[in-house]
């Protein structure tokens, strides 16, 4: 550390530069020189030179002498060049000059700090409502190459200067998912603690495989999963679980575990060891349970409309019921107690897909929507959705201990050695279908530490309050029509906006066809103007409608107002 | 930006502090005050105050007056407190004070920079051989709580000061997987460009779902996959592919695609639409093809020893051959051409699992080990293994266009709207089994830009040179015995170390039992001393042996020498 005690740099792009170029600076020579000396260190002058200046600063009492001397030290380099970090410092540097290269420490630090400068500026702008959500370009435009931004890969290396330009451009042409007016997905927002957690996770760059290589993360995962099981309501938080790369894979785990539980021979003998199995899920499910039926069983066996069809036993064995807790489009919650009764009666596995709605368990006000979740055999819960944790962070939680590893263990000697010196029951690899497993826990654990359970509760309550505000605002308002009756259960508010030109048309095919085109058109205009983003889709026999979802902690009532104003402005003349 | 033009801060912990406390500083009041004013902005004084100072600095020409005024402005705050950032600035700050909170920008920037300070120090130490690879503690020790480090989560938030301590401690008790002497896993190393890429990816925090929300990343993925297919040798790089959360899931894709290709009705009618299917894989496979047989088909149907058993047709349909290109323990490559001939003859899908060995395709010297890979129907290739890309980064590449989305598309209207304003053929979601998909491409793309193809080639060649050095060094050396005959094909060097006490024992059960305990014991001592890490395992009838793998770009011959010295030192008296 001591050697770096002189390292000072600028967080914004060229503050010193603009300062130096000001008229005032010219007449303020003494002060400017002094900054020069310090900035020289930060702006890529050699580490050795920086040290010399610092040492000098610390040894000399005379201000004038100090300034003259640092001026002398720096005279050989061009002054302007010292101010344009990227252009002068990185144009002759390459990846091969960074650590572990000899003398790579200084360029490495400079490069990382330059990247951080780009990122912190991006973070700042993300929360600034005067910044656009996106700067839209068509695929062919980006593929043809924007000025200085070429996506093609080549045999020869690019300079670090170009790499920094690429970083800036990548962000410039991307979408600010943390912007207060980004409502397009279930996962929105940019949580600063979560972000810090991800930065640390990348720096640690390890694997959740074994305690041996991820001791702290493995324990954090264990404790956090236990806490989640307590919140679900399983006695003493008993059970098992694991973080997986997303809700679809968590749901896949649930199907595999259920199949193993009822027909353990499937593990060794395959599907011939089981009869034809039936899975039930809601018509308004997320696509993943259906997809998992394709992977593990098959999709015709996923019976839709469980309530209207009842339990069907035509030569098949009903095995699994998926209760959706927060459907993707409507945010609807299946009645878990009723499904649990059916599962008990017919000895079926009850899975609760709370990928989207699981977060509501953190709120004393809203958790009743998952009433009965404690009766589930397994639960999918994605903190990366409603809880604002950076993607990816999804948990599969299992009530019964042992079935998760029973189902997935392959006892590969090269992965898990029982003769290690520590308690190998902490190794997680035999529970996972993955060998390499990304550390998804740390950002979540850190956010929980930093916010406390009450912080998550406040976030959930605030988002649901906002959606209530939107619902109340547009319900009955001229030009709006709600897609489903009644108050939304989650933050999903689904509505049609009818431009003045079609409001008074008689109901019928023509009106439907016109209305079907409204949301795509408004969305396209929104994206071109870059002001906000919200999703739309058709559903069943319903033509395209907007689905507003609020999980973004940066959103306020003014942003909701902005969205409706924008829809009305852009849709006015359609 | 303009409002931030004054932001200057220190990258290391307390440079200004130590400077201020020096004797010299006392007599150098003018200069010090000036820094104070600037640092006040950075060290957590309110943004408003910072702006005032800056505005003032920019308007006044008179140095003395400027300094007096900024002194006045700052006089109300305690001077020392401004210098001890962590202790004074963050102890009363909480996550709720960060963006999007009102006035949250300044604490957010300070907090992120403090985190970066922790991370850059970690990076620096990772490459420093005088730093230990790990500071080992048993699970119960970490669970009981180390001094100031408590893993438990609570209802109430912790201060940001505590969060920073937690970040430091998390790294302190972890394992430095980028350390030049970390050889424990297939994924090692800490690539600075890759790390920067991950930091940016986390900051962008989006989803690979659609072009709409990840325009740049989606195109980068497309171009990079094409480049990889060109390197495999498929004409014009045609085909398809996707990045998945790891090799096991990439291999799962291959099984699903093959099944869909031969029996497309499986997608809708399930496994009853297919006969009993057989998969073939090498005895020395990674566990994942076997595991995928459990998920998708079943593991008894995974025939081992394809060469000795030949193609078996006992009432089953042989469908899929997995050619391992770089086995996990031995680093062995299956003869792809021979397997391709068999696959052509019997109309089977040929998959090459190059999770570990795929990287060798980048080397003109070593790519012959995958000769015939261009005949495969699909290839798994994990840049997060041999190519040093941070975990997770795994690609599944498919020769035939259309089968990937044919197999996985669910045409969920809420995910993909064909009436969008851009060319929706760039949306990737219908190819993936995931809904939320982490951006794994950017770090890899950025590394490729920064190193060029030749940079990856140099890395591969260097690692294989190092393993050759190790092999040559210990082959025939007293106390060492190689596990398999001949030169390793990959960087895997498998060997027993025989302590002097058992070298002269007659072969037999007693010697085997003793030898079986040697590697675990040496490994335990290694971890306790924290000096280096290397894996061991038994395999078949072979007792525990060391498996050295080299993928770490920081490793040199001296580190290889260090490893063998350490094994000999620790194993001397066993």
């Amino acid at each position: 550390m001591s050697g770096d005690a002189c390292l000072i740099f600028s967080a914004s792009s060229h503050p010193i530069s603009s300062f130096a170029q000001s008229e005032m600076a010219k007449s303020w020579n003494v002060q400017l020189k002094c900054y020069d000396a310090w900035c020289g260190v930060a702006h890529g002058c050699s580490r050795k030179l920086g040290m010399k200046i610092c040492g000098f600063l610390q040894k000399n009492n005379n201000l004038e002498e100090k300034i003259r001397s640092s001026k002398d030290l720096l005279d050989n380099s061009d002054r302007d060049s010292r101010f344009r970090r990227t252009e002068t410092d990185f144009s002759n540097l390459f990846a091969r000059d960074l650590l572990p290269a000899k003398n790579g420490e200084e360029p490495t630090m400079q490069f990382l700090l330059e990247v951080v400068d780009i990122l912190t500026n991006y973070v700042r702008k993300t929360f600034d409502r005067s910044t656009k959500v996106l700067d839209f370009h068509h695929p062919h435009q980006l593929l043809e190459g924007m000025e200085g931004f070429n996506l093609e890969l080549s045999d020869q290396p690019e300079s670090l200067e170009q790499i920094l330009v690429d970083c800036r451009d990548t962000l410039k042409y991307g979408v600010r998912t943390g912007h207060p007016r980004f409502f397009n997905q279930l996962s929105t927002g940019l949580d600063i603690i979560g972000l810090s957690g991800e930065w640390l996770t990348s720096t640690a760059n390890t694997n959740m495989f074994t305690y041996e290589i991820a001791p702290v993360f493995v324990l954090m995962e264990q404790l956090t999963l236990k806490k989640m099981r307590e919140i679900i309501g399983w006695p003493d938080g008993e059970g098992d679980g694991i973080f997986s790369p997303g809700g679809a894979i968590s749901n896949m785990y649930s199907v595999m575990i259920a199949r193993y539980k009822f027909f353990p021979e499937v593990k060794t003998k395959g599907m011939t060891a089981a009869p034809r199995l039936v899975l039930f899920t809601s018509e308004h499910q997320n696509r993943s349970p259906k997809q998992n039926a394709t992977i593990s069983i098959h999709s015709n066996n996923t019976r839709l409309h469980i309530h209207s069809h009842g339990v069907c036993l035509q030569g098949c064995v009903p095995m699994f019921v998926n209760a959706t807790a927060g459907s993707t489009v409507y945010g609807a919650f299946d009645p878990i107690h009723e499904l649990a009764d059916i599962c008990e009666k017919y000895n079926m596995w009850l899975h609760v897909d709370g990928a989207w709605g699981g977060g509501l368990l953190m709120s004393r006000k809203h958790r009743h929507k998952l009433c009965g979740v404690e009766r589930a055999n397994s639960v999918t819960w994605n903190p990366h959705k409603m809880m604002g944790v950076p993607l990816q962070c999804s948990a599969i939680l299992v009530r019964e201990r042992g079935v998760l590893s029973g189902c997935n263990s392959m006892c590969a000697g090269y992965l898990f050695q029982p003769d290690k010196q520590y308690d190998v029951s902490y190794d997680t690899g035999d529970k996972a279908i993955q060998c390499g497993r990304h550390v998804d826990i740390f950002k979540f654990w850190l956010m929980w530490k930093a916010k406390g359970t009450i912080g998550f509760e406040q976030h959930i309550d605030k988002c649901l309050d906002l959606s209530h505000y939107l619902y109340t605002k547009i319900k009955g308002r001229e030009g709006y029509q709600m897609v489903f009756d009644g108050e939304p259960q989650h933050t999903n508010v689904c509505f049609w906006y009818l431009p003045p030109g079609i409001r008074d048309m008689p109901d019928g095919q023509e009106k439907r066809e016109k209305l079907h085109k409204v949301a795509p058109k408004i969305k396209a205009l929104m994206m071109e103007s870059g002001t906000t983003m919200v999703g739309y889709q058709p559903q069943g026999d319903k033509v395209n409608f907007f689905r507003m979802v609020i999980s973004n902690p940066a959103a306020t009532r003014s942003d909701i107002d902005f969205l409706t104003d924008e829809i009305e402005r852009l849709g006015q003349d359609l």
Side-chain angles (χ1 to χ4, degrees), chain A residues 24 113 120 169 308 375 544 546 561 563:
Chain A
M24 175 270 294
L113 295 172
T120 50
D169 285 344
S308 52
R375 295 175 67 188
N544 278 321
F546 287 113
D561 293 339
L563 179 88

Side-chain angles (χ1 to χ4, degrees), chain A residues 510-524:
Chain A
E510 193 190 343
K511 186 175 182 176
R512 279 174 55 84
E513 278 168 18
K514 277 194 183 290
L515 185 56
H516 189 58
K517 288 175 186 155
V518 169
K521 187 67 194 162
I522 291 177
K523 174 69 176 278

Side-chain angles (χ1 to χ4, degrees), chain A residues 231-273:
Chain A
I231 288 168
I232 285 171
W234 291 332
D236 299 323
E238 276 301 304
D240 209 339
I242 200 163
F243 281 82
S244 94
I249 294 179
S250 290
N251 285 339
M252 183 173 89
Y253 269 107
S254 74
V255 175
M256 289 169 58
I257 298 165
R259 194 177 59 182
Y260 171 77
K261 171 70 183 169
F262 291 116
F263 305 99
E265 290 204 316
V266 164
K267 185 174 174 181
T268 48
K269 296 190 178 160
M271 289 302 291
T272 50

Side-chain angles (χ1 to χ4, degrees), chain A residues 370-418:
Chain A
L370 291 103
C371 192
V373 65
E374 69 283 359
R375 295 175 67 188
N377 299 97
S378 56
V379 176
T380 290
W381 176 352
N382 287 13
H384 76 218
K385 286 187 170 140
M386 195 60 207
M387 292 168 75
V389 178
L391 195 126
Q392 61 192 41
C393 189
S394 169
I396 171 70
L397 300 137
V398 188
R399 194 172 60 190
E400 184 180 327
R401 238 190 134 68
V403 284
L404 183 59
S405 42
C407 175
N408 294 319
S409 68
M410 300 298 280
C411 298
Y414 69 88
L415 298 180
F416 316 105
Q417 297 81 40

Side-chain angles (χ1 to χ4, degrees), chain A residues 187-292:
Chain A
S187 306
T188 62
L190 181 59
D191 187 274
I192 301 300
I193 304 289
L195 176 62
S196 307
E198 275 294 69
W199 286 1
L200 185 145
T201 299
S202 330
T203 312
N205 190 30
T206 193
N207 183 331
M208 289 300 284
F209 225 43
T210 54
Y211 178 85
E212 179 172 306
I213 55 165
V216 183
F217 299 130
V218 161
L219 297 179
M220 284 173 175
E221 180 176 64
Q222 195 195 59
L223 287 171
T224 307
L225 287 167
K226 183 165 195 288
K227 193 91 180 166
M228 293 172 88
R229 290 191 302 262
E230 282 169 11
I231 288 168
I232 285 171
W234 291 332
D236 299 323
E238 276 301 304
D240 209 339
I242 200 163
F243 281 82
S244 94
I249 294 179
S250 290
N251 285 339
M252 183 173 89
Y253 269 107
S254 74
V255 175
M256 289 169 58
I257 298 165
R259 194 177 59 182
Y260 171 77
K261 171 70 183 169
F262 291 116
F263 305 99
E265 290 204 316
V266 164
K267 185 174 174 181
T268 48
K269 296 190 178 160
M271 289 302 291
T272 50
R276 193 163 173 167
L277 303 172
V278 183
L279 280 70
F280 298 89
T281 190
S282 145
E283 188 182 21
H284 291 165
Q285 68 185 7
N286 176 287
R287 70 171 186 163
S288 74
K290 209 164 152 187
Q291 201 166 33
N292 280 308

Side-chain angles (χ1 to χ4, degrees), chain A residues 285-343:
Chain A
Q285 68 185 7
N286 176 287
R287 70 171 186 163
S288 74
K290 209 164 152 187
Q291 201 166 33
N292 280 308
T294 310
I295 298 171
S296 294
I297 301 177
H298 51 89
S299 64
N300 269 10
N301 285 354
T302 305
R303 304 278 160 172
L304 305 182
H305 299 286
I306 184 169
H307 295 110
S308 52
H309 289 215
V311 176
C312 152
L313 285 163
Q314 296 148 358
C316 307
V317 174
M319 177 190 79
F320 183 100
V321 174
N322 174 59
T324 305
S327 63
T328 309
V329 179
Y330 291 170
F333 289 77
D334 283 337
I336 303 178
H337 270 306
E338 289 177 38
L339 297 175
D341 289 343
I342 294 170
C343 286

Side-chain angles (χ1 to χ4, degrees), chain A residues 396-442:
Chain A
I396 171 70
L397 300 137
V398 188
R399 194 172 60 190
E400 184 180 327
R401 238 190 134 68
V403 284
L404 183 59
S405 42
C407 175
N408 294 319
S409 68
M410 300 298 280
C411 298
Y414 69 88
L415 298 180
F416 316 105
Q417 297 81 40
D419 44 15
K420 282 180 184 168
Q421 92 275 29
Y422 62 84
D423 179 355
V424 294
S425 70
Y426 290 93
D427 289 353
T428 69
D430 253 357
K431 293 179 186 177
I433 56 167
Q434 301 181 272
C435 295
R437 187 160 62 97
H438 187 258
V439 177
D440 296 331
I441 186 59
F442 181 66

